[in-house]
Amino acid sequence: MKKILAIAAAGLMTVGFMGCNSNAGGHSEAMDSLSMAFGDLYGAGMGQQLRGMDSTINMEQALKGMEYIANADTSKNFMAGLQMGMQIAQLYAGIEQQCGMPINKSLFMKHLREAIMKTTPMAQEDMMALQSKIEPLLNKAMEQSPKAIANKKAGEEYMSKLKSDKNYTFTKSGIAYKVIKGGEGKNFSDSDIVKVNYVGRHINGEEFDKSGENPVPFNLKQVIPGFAEMIQLMKPGSKVTVVIPGELAYGPQGNRGIEPNETLIFDIETVGVQDPKEQPARPKMPTRPIK
């Protein structure tokens, strides 16, 4: 900020000797010179900033956005609405990204307008009731997205083919697993923190995650349901391949590169239970997504 003010002051001193004759636009020559200098300065800096944010950015579209805001009404009422409008735009983008479909803007704005214009504040319990409706409605919208529907169908077809493979066992919940190596001792419980070597794959065989050189400890209460169920069917030293349908993995919301309703494959090898004195489990891919 000090540097910009210093440049501005220097510019004013330089153009101060140019006089204050008005031109046709109602500006002085000095102000015109200052405007050009600031335009050059800001343009150079913002150009670098925009390209640094995204090398593929369309500068013409970015300029339209800049000009729209820069030339807007500067009254406090309009500016207050403008700031909230930016929040709404971010909400639109977030919902479209999460649901795979755009929000109905006309319905949104109709209800927003009606709610804003009410002079009586909404009761706290009514506000909380509205909030409790959002998650199930969001989940329903995500389930109806084209990607969620396509991935669910692809997963069902994949699981159906496995039923003809006698090496796979299906549980009541819907996961399918194949035992590669049996273990020894007793089965793990959901209260255990289990050390695991694993590789996660999409049903097309593409790998999306793996444990690496060292086994990863998992709190079974904090992993996706299908992964937790499989571990509890295993003993120390056992190795399996498990196929987890989308509803027992990340569901319609997906997670970090996992698309909505994706059926996932994990190659899992259990090592044993983590000693309580060791460092707690670090979060890895099979952990439950944050809502």
Side-chain angles (χ1 to χ4, degrees):
M1 180 62 74
K2 288 182 178 179
K3 184 180 288 187
I4 291 175
L5 290 175
I7 293 170
L12 285 170
M13 290 176 65
T14 302
V15 300
F17 297 103
M18 297 174 63
C20 296
N21 297 326
S22 297
N23 60 22
H27 308 122
S28 68
E29 291 181 5
M31 188 54 68
D32 286 348
S33 297
L34 180 63
S35 301
M36 288 187 287
F38 262 124
D40 290 339
L41 177 64
Y42 270 67
M46 288 182 174
Q48 292 176 10
Q49 186 177 353
L50 285 168
R51 290 184 179 89
M53 291 165 55
D54 185 351
S55 60
T56 64
I57 197 162
N58 184 312
M59 289 298 184
E60 287 294 335
Q61 293 298 316
L63 278 167
K64 285 182 181 179
M66 285 186 210
E67 289 172 0
Y68 179 81
I69 298 298
N71 297 330
D73 180 358
T74 56
S75 66
K76 67 175 183 180
N77 297 326
F78 187 85
M79 293 305 292
L82 194 63
Q83 290 175 2
M84 292 186 179
M86 294 298 291
Q87 295 177 28
I88 292 171
Q90 291 174 351
L91 175 68
Y92 285 168
I95 289 176
E96 183 168 2
Q97 182 180 16
Q98 193 163 8
C99 296
M101 295 182 291
I103 194 171
N104 188 323
K105 295 180 181 179
S106 61
L107 280 176
F108 175 92
M109 291 307 299
K110 177 179 181 293
H111 284 256
L112 180 139
R113 174 179 287 275
E114 290 172 355
I116 282 180
M117 297 307 291
K118 288 180 180 177
T119 55
T120 304
M122 181 179 287
Q124 187 67 26
E125 56 268 25
D126 293 336
M127 187 79 78
M128 293 176 67
L130 266 177
Q131 289 177 354
S132 66
K133 287 174 61 177
I134 293 296
E135 186 175 343
L137 288 171
L138 184 60
N139 286 333
K140 189 174 182 180
M142 289 189 292
E143 287 169 1
Q144 294 176 359
S145 73
K147 277 190 176 180
I149 292 171
N151 287 332
K152 185 175 183 180
K153 183 181 179 181
E156 288 171 347
E157 291 174 352
Y158 187 89
M159 297 295 280
S160 180
K161 291 177 182 178
L162 289 183
K163 290 181 178 178
S164 61
D165 190 335
K166 296 181 180 179
N167 293 315
Y168 278 89
T169 300
F170 282 77
T171 67
K172 289 182 179 180
S173 68
I175 68 170
Y177 67 93
K178 175 174 65 175
V179 177
I180 310 297
K181 176 185 175 185
E184 296 181 354
K186 64 178 183 177
N187 288 48
F188 299 103
S189 71
D190 66 351
S191 61
D192 290 329
I193 295 177
V194 184
K195 291 182 176 180
V196 173
N197 291 312
Y198 75 95
V199 175
R201 293 177 281 126
H202 302 282
I203 57 175
N204 64 3
E206 182 183 344
E207 184 180 303
F208 62 81
D209 192 28
K210 62 182 177 181
S211 53
E213 296 180 1
N214 300 314
V216 178
F218 285 109
N219 182 333
L220 297 190
K221 293 180 179 178
Q222 297 177 357
V223 296
I224 56 176
F227 197 89
E229 180 184 355
M230 187 67 253
I231 297 291
Q232 291 174 77
L233 295 173
M234 300 173 71
K235 300 175 181 180
S238 60
K239 187 175 182 179
V240 304
T241 295
V242 60
V243 184
I244 303 175
E247 62 269 22
L248 295 174
Y250 293 101
Q253 68 267 36
N255 186 54
R256 292 187 294 172
I258 304 300
E259 292 189 351
N261 282 344
E262 259 205 271
T263 293
L264 304 176
I265 304 169
F266 287 96
D267 298 318
I268 304 173
E269 181 181 19
T270 56
V271 176
V273 176
Q274 178 177 269
D275 189 314
K277 295 180 181 179
E278 293 184 55
Q279 290 293 320
R282 73 180 192 271
K284 289 287 285 185
M285 199 65 200
T287 52
R288 295 178 186 268
I290 297 172
K291 295 181 181 178

